[in-house]
Amino acid sequence: MVSTLKVSIWSAGVLLAGQLLAGCASDSSDSTASAPSQGGSAEQIVLAIGGESSEGYDPTLGWGRYGSPLFQSTLLRRDQDLNIVNDLATGYTVSDDRRTWTVTIRQDAQFSDGEPLTAADVAYTFNKAAESGGLTDVTALEEAVATDDYTVELRLKQPQSAFVNRLITLGIVPQHAHGPDYARNPVGSGPYQMVQWDEGQQLIVEANPNYYGEAPGIQRLVFLFTEEDAAFAAARAGQAQVVSVPQSLAVQSLSGMKLYDVASVDNRGLMFPYPPPTGQTTPDGRPIGNPVTSDLAIRQAVNYAVDRQALVEGVLEGYGSPAYGPVSGLAWEEPRANIEDAQPEQARQILAEGGWSDTNGDGIVEKAGQRAEFTLLYPASDSTRQALALSVAEMLRPVGIQINVEGKSWDEITPRVHSDAVLFGWGSHDQSEMYNLYHSKAAQGAFYNAGYYANEAIDRTLDLAMGAPSEAEAIAFWQAAQWDGEQGFTAKGDAAWAWLVNLNHTYFVSECLDIGQPQVEPHGHGWPITANIAEWTWTCS
Amino acid sequence: MQLRPILIFLSRKLVRLALLLLAVAVMTFVLLSLSPIDPVQAYIGADMLQISPEQRELIAQRWGLDQPMLGRFGDWLGQLVQGNWGTSMVFNQPVAQVINQRFQVSLQLLAIAWLISGLLGLGLGVLAGAFEGTWIDRGIRLYAYTLASSPTFWVALLLLIFFSVSLRVTPICCAAPPGVLSQNVTFWQHLHHLLLPAITLSIIGVANIALHTRQKLIEVLSSDYVLFARAQGETLGGILKHHGLRNILLPALTLQFASLSELFGGSVLVEQVFAYPGLGEATVQAALRSDVPLLVGIVFFSALFVYSGNTLADLAYQVIDPRIRLGGRGAA
């Protein structure tokens, strides 16, 4: 969320100048004077999709945490429908007390240096990741033990059904070749192996001849690490075959390239501080609570008044979908939690029933001397969030709620997240995110449950989900926490957030490249589109 | 030339340099401790909801961020004495190694830009000064003023769009063609990729040097001794050769060495635009993510770089101008 600061002047500059010069460019495009055979082939394609891991490619430090570590393979993985399927594992069981996961692994797996991959490597990887201060969180693990060459036991501190996501995302590293230099010279059992990494510039990888799965369709991949604007320029110059672009550039057309508009759970929503301000503060002394958004009628009115489809069309250029909860499109979404929105009449009625009315005729409703007015913060560097925030404020004014929109830096927003509404963006295949957004115990003064939402019944349901023996059995509980017909944290229930939209990720892909059916992608950073990269094929000769 | 004055000169320079570096280190630490950027938060970035407080603690421990700034400064200073510059958070690599790798890439860029801007600047300045008031002078001044007031990155973008996207004569990014292994990159490919960033950097450096040279030459040309030479029938070429160049070389050289700092700053922006993976690009990353050891390392390094530039200029004076004697006037 915070990591990429974009210099939007650059984008504007490239766009403007690009359009100015587009006229003279189109005529001369067939003069391939300098482009040395950059057309792409089954031998080699060039991808400009950002996401360089400047720290290196060590899974125990967080590389591949979005589930496609490329150089390494994982015990399990998610297929295109996000079902969990075996990868390195041949199966797994969870003990009755749900604290011991026993995984059996395939016996034909080798690392790219030819060494066999055994249970000892798996145990080493999990233990190492648990003690490393990196970007993958394996703190739930007590210890991992290899009980024989091809069986490993993962012993947890407490039951955690979402732990399966670590089996899906943590790439297995070789115990014999792992050390401080590993991040720059990864050795793994994944479909590709590293050939050369020019930091800040490009990464060249080639198919791993020792890969146990089907050989990848493209022999060599080149990842270019350029700014978004330069990536777009590279696509226009015919030098890249897969390019991720911001929605604002997706409306353009590039010859020889197709636009892929991939659904995601990369969502944007409005977080409300839940309790009223009672002088309570976080451990750091930051204030908690808001006198207006603590009122259920206000939160529900916002949810019903917002026209989400209009936001998709107006702000996202149509590349997105309405969001009514945090997990749109995933198996654990509760469809009954969806509401019919864009209903200012209903919003007004909710406000009236909640005791809010416009007594002084200024167009804004009041209740017990309190005006229905609150501040909405958004990161000023993000133009999409700015447009969403302004549009929502615009949509709520006729209903009688005044939203004051303020763009700030994250460093200024952070201390205020517990007492002002904030336009956040999340979205993950890992259910613990939902748990951390809504469980009252997660509220500790940071970004976990920043609004201090608290509902004991929801807490119990979330705990049941986390304690369930498997993801499949947890789904019913995850859904019930959203809306079980009587209560939930979504709009019909406590309306703890007003979720607005899911972004679609937009890519230009060469017409000659078949990238299969992409998954519903998580929050943008990383390389979500590479999840099935081993299955990509070049269709032109 | 005596040895003693040079030794005194050099030792004074070294003491000054040591003091400068200490001040730079203290300032960087103080500024960063006042900065609102939380390095742990900056490291975690978008993964906030999947990193538990326990994991956050592990991260802080790994980088020593659980210590107060004063303690970290002490640790860092202790390491530095042993020749260890610390470890970069962003690159998970020793700082010295990062700077070494990155600077090798930047160096070629800086060197070419420095040479082109120096020679071109001097040439244009002489031309404008010699033909003061003519259309040549006006043309050169227009060029210099326009470039002096253009933001570097904007010029870089315009050139990129024109030469790379529209005309397709220069590459779109990077220090080598995409997908080519480093051992297969030819000298010409290398130069080809260096060309546009180096030109961008130098055409901006030209303006400053050209304007100063022009001014100095006009001064020289209106002096009494030039009048005397003219009266004796010396041609313009002869005047330039015998009086002009000798007198303007000194200020031009000072400027040329002083411009190292500007070049260094300009390269930060240019490298961003061309995805040229040099030190400039690393600087931006270090600052945005509050990577203290790397940032201090780079600041250190750039201070050294600029300082040596200025010292070289000082030393060059006595080689060019016999009137300047180190022993006679003390240092600098």
Side-chain angles (χ1 to χ4, degrees):
Chain A
M1 185 174 74
V2 189
S3 62
T4 46
L5 287 183
K6 295 217 180 61
V7 186
S8 53
I9 306 171
W10 294 16
S11 325
V14 164
L15 267 178
L16 276 177
Q19 264 143 24
L20 280 177
L21 294 167
C24 41
S26 52
D27 310 323
S28 60
S29 56
D30 52 356
S31 68
T32 50
S34 72
S37 69
Q38 292 298 346
S41 65
E43 286 304 303
Q44 170 171 315
I45 59 168
V46 177
L47 305 94
I49 53 178
E52 179 176 27
S53 173
S54 50
E55 217 192 344
Y57 298 88
D58 184 347
T60 66
L61 294 177
W63 159 244
R65 59 193 178 278
Y66 295 95
S68 41
L70 199 66
F71 307 116
Q72 295 87 8
S73 47
T74 51
L75 293 174
L76 305 172
R77 66 185 173 83
R78 291 192 189 273
D79 67 9
Q80 62 191 40
D81 303 318
L82 301 182
N83 298 314
I84 298 175
V85 293
N86 289 333
D87 193 336
L88 266 178
T90 51
Y92 71 99
T93 56
V94 181
S95 68
D96 286 340
D97 69 355
R98 293 164 195 180
R99 287 180 46 196
T100 305
W101 296 48
T102 309
V103 187
T104 52
I105 60 167
R106 56 194 304 155
Q107 309 193 354
D108 59 347
Q110 279 181 2
F111 290 108
S112 51
D113 62 2
E115 295 285 322
L117 187 159
T118 66
D121 295 304
V122 178
Y124 171 81
T125 303
F126 274 82
N127 286 326
K128 190 75 192 167
E131 63 178 50
S132 304
L135 285 174
T136 183
D137 187 345
V138 195
T139 50
L141 184 78
E142 191 166 272
E143 61 170 343
V145 179
T147 51
D148 64 47
D149 272 1
Y150 300 103
T151 313
V152 66
E153 274 185 21
L154 306 169
R155 298 173 189 156
L156 307 190
K157 292 174 186 160
Q158 67 265 330
Q160 195 189 73
S161 65
F163 191 73
V164 73
N165 288 298
R166 294 292 81 75
L167 278 64
I168 293 167
T169 56
L170 186 59
I172 303 304
V173 302
Q175 186 170 8
H176 67 271
H178 190 256
D181 296 335
Y182 181 83
R184 288 186 155 67
N185 306 291
V187 172
S189 52
Y192 285 93
Q193 58 186 353
M194 183 187 282
V195 176
Q196 180 179 318
W197 177 26
D198 303 327
E199 293 184 37
Q201 190 176 198
Q202 63 170 347
L203 174 71
I204 305 177
V205 304
E206 270 176 6
N208 172 7
N210 293 334
Y211 182 50
Y212 52 80
E214 202 173 317
I218 310 283
Q219 183 60 24
R220 183 194 246 198
L221 309 173
V222 179
F223 295 90
L224 279 190
F225 302 124
T226 57
E227 296 278 323
E228 264 172 356
D229 309 314
F232 186 69
R236 281 186 47 167
Q239 297 196 9
Q241 284 73 50
V242 181
V243 179
S244 83
V245 292
Q247 280 102 357
S248 54
L249 288 178
V251 290
Q252 305 213 3
S253 66
L254 289 180
S255 67
M257 298 193 98
K258 250 188 324 204
L259 181 73
Y260 271 73
D261 168 12
V262 182
S264 81
V265 283
D266 192 346
N267 48 30
R268 298 290 179 268
L270 209 154
M271 187 275 317
F272 297 115
Y274 189 74
T278 54
Q280 192 197 352
T281 60
T282 68
D284 296 346
R286 294 162 178 171
I288 296 171
N290 183 295
V292 175
T293 62
S294 56
D295 193 296
L296 176 63
I298 296 281
R299 297 194 305 269
Q300 285 193 321
V302 173
N303 263 295
Y304 280 97
V306 170
D307 183 346
R308 291 169 175 79
Q309 193 56 44
L311 294 178
V312 169
E313 300 301 332
V315 178
L316 305 180
E317 311 281 355
Y319 300 116
S321 56
Y324 300 96
V327 289
S328 306
L330 304 183
W332 40 97
E333 181 191 17
E334 173 52 68
R336 288 186 301 160
N338 293 0
I339 55 168
E340 199 165 319
D341 60 357
Q343 308 232 36
E345 255 333 296
Q346 193 175 348
R348 278 189 208 103
Q349 195 186 332
I350 292 170
L351 285 175
E353 284 167 10
W356 295 85
S357 60
D358 185 9
T359 46
N360 59 6
D362 65 351
I364 304 301
V365 294
E366 296 95 33
K367 177 180 175 179
Q370 175 71 53
R371 261 168 71 90
E373 176 182 1
F374 64 89
T375 302
L376 172 59
L377 302 172
Y378 71 90
S381 57
D382 186 332
S383 60
T384 304
R385 293 191 206 197
Q386 176 184 48
L388 287 173
L390 290 171
S391 310
V392 168
E394 212 48 45
M395 288 169 178
L396 265 299
R397 197 157 234 299
V399 175
I401 297 177
Q402 183 175 337
I403 302 181
N404 303 317
V405 175
E406 286 182 33
K408 300 272 181 198
S409 74
W410 277 115
D411 300 305
E412 290 170 292
I413 295 173
T414 308
R416 294 173 60 181
V417 289
H418 316 292
S419 52
D420 284 305
V422 180
L423 217 140
F424 273 120
W426 306 108
S428 168
H429 293 163
D430 184 342
Q431 303 85 357
S432 41
E433 183 175 287
M434 191 178 8
Y435 185 91
N436 291 332
L437 280 176
Y438 290 107
H439 199 288
S440 66
K441 284 205 192 72
Q444 300 287 340
F447 287 98
Y448 278 24
N449 191 358
Y452 277 72
Y453 170 67
N455 181 332
E456 278 180 33
I458 301 296
D459 282 356
R460 274 196 300 277
T461 316
L462 290 172
D463 284 330
L464 283 172
M466 200 51 113
S470 71
E471 180 174 295
E473 286 162 83
I475 284 180
F477 296 115
W478 294 124
Q479 289 178 324
Q482 294 163 57
W483 178 246
D484 64 3
E486 289 181 8
Q487 58 177 342
F489 57 66
T490 53
K492 287 180 186 166
D494 293 325
W497 285 59
W499 290 99
L500 301 172
V501 293
N502 301 297
L503 311 183
N504 285 2
H505 293 159
T506 42
Y507 303 90
F508 280 110
V509 177
S510 164
E511 281 168 357
C512 288
L513 190 64
D514 179 5
I515 63 166
Q517 176 66 46
Q519 297 176 340
V520 174
E521 296 184 350
H523 198 80
H525 318 274
W527 298 349
I529 197 165
T530 64
N532 65 341
I533 200 160
E535 294 155 28
W536 292 11
T537 51
W538 190 259
T539 55
C540 303
S541 50
Chain B
M1 200 185 307
Q2 298 149 307
L3 191 64
R4 221 174 95 81
I6 290 190
L7 281 180
I8 293 177
F9 170 80
L10 282 180
S11 52
R12 277 197 196 184
K13 280 273 176 195
L14 279 178
V15 171
R16 278 195 202 177
L17 179 64
L19 286 177
L20 175 76
L21 290 183
L22 187 70
V24 158
V26 171
M27 281 303 284
T28 314
F29 265 88
V30 168
L31 283 177
L32 279 173
S33 68
L34 295 177
S35 135
I37 300 176
D38 173 1
V40 176
Q41 192 63 57
Y43 177 76
I44 295 174
D47 296 284
M48 278 176 283
L49 282 203
Q50 286 162 58
I51 298 294
S52 63
E54 294 85 40
Q55 184 68 20
R56 202 175 262 268
E57 193 55 37
L58 279 177
I59 294 172
Q61 278 171 18
R62 174 173 163 217
W63 299 112
L65 296 170
D66 47 350
Q67 312 279 331
M69 191 54 105
L70 205 63
R72 289 166 59 198
F73 185 66
D75 285 351
W76 177 82
L77 214 58
Q79 283 183 347
L80 189 72
V81 173
Q82 299 161 29
N84 179 357
W85 292 40
T87 306
S88 157
M89 258 181 91
V90 172
F91 298 102
N92 187 26
Q93 227 182 354
V95 167
Q97 208 173 326
V98 176
I99 293 181
N100 182 21
Q101 280 173 3
R102 296 281 173 150
F103 186 65
Q104 285 182 9
V105 182
S106 286
L107 189 63
Q108 302 162 328
L109 183 63
L110 287 173
I112 293 189
W114 188 70
L115 277 180
I116 299 184
S117 66
L119 293 177
L120 210 61
L122 190 70
L124 287 178
V126 169
L127 215 58
F131 299 98
E132 190 197 353
T134 64
W135 61 269
I136 300 179
D137 180 33
R138 270 181 282 161
I140 291 174
R141 267 189 297 158
L142 179 71
Y143 165 83
Y145 286 132
T146 310
L147 281 175
S149 50
S150 309
T152 316
F153 73 90
W154 186 74
V155 174
L157 271 177
L158 282 188
L159 290 176
L160 180 72
I161 288 160
F162 189 68
F163 287 106
S164 299
V165 177
S166 301
L167 297 182
R168 301 194 182 193
V169 292
T170 48
I172 207 89
C173 79
C174 316
V180 178
L181 296 180
S182 49
Q183 66 263 27
N184 298 340
V185 179
T186 64
F187 176 75
W188 293 114
Q189 281 175 329
H190 201 67
L191 203 65
H192 190 211
H193 282 256
L194 200 60
L195 202 63
L196 205 52
I199 288 180
T200 311
L201 208 49
S202 42
I203 57 173
I204 287 171
V206 161
N208 194 10
I209 293 176
L211 287 176
H212 277 94
T213 309
R214 171 183 175 274
Q215 197 55 40
K216 186 69 191 170
L217 189 67
I218 291 173
E219 255 173 54
V220 170
L221 290 184
S222 59
S223 66
D224 290 343
Y225 56 84
V226 169
L227 191 67
F228 181 64
R230 276 191 209 273
Q232 291 191 324
E234 181 75 285
T235 59
L236 182 63
I239 290 175
L240 282 182
K241 194 174 159 201
H242 296 123
H243 303 283
L245 281 181
R246 278 169 198 243
N247 280 298
I248 59 169
L249 213 52
L250 215 54
L253 209 69
T254 317
L255 266 176
Q256 175 70 356
F257 280 101
S259 74
L260 278 177
S261 66
E262 275 168 47
L263 271 180
F264 203 84
S267 75
V268 172
L269 296 167
V270 169
E271 285 178 10
Q272 281 286 318
V273 174
F274 293 104
Y276 199 85
L279 203 51
E281 205 241 331
T283 315
V284 174
Q285 292 243 24
L288 284 181
R289 291 170 61 182
S290 222
D291 185 344
V292 182
L294 181 58
L295 201 59
V296 176
I298 292 177
V299 170
F300 246 58
F301 184 77
S302 55
L304 260 172
F305 185 71
V306 173
Y307 197 84
S308 353
N310 290 337
T311 309
L312 279 178
D314 288 349
L315 284 172
Y317 278 8
Q318 54 161 331
V319 177
I320 294 165
D321 193 337
R323 288 171 304 179
I324 297 176
R325 279 282 171 268
L326 279 173
R329 294 198 340 168

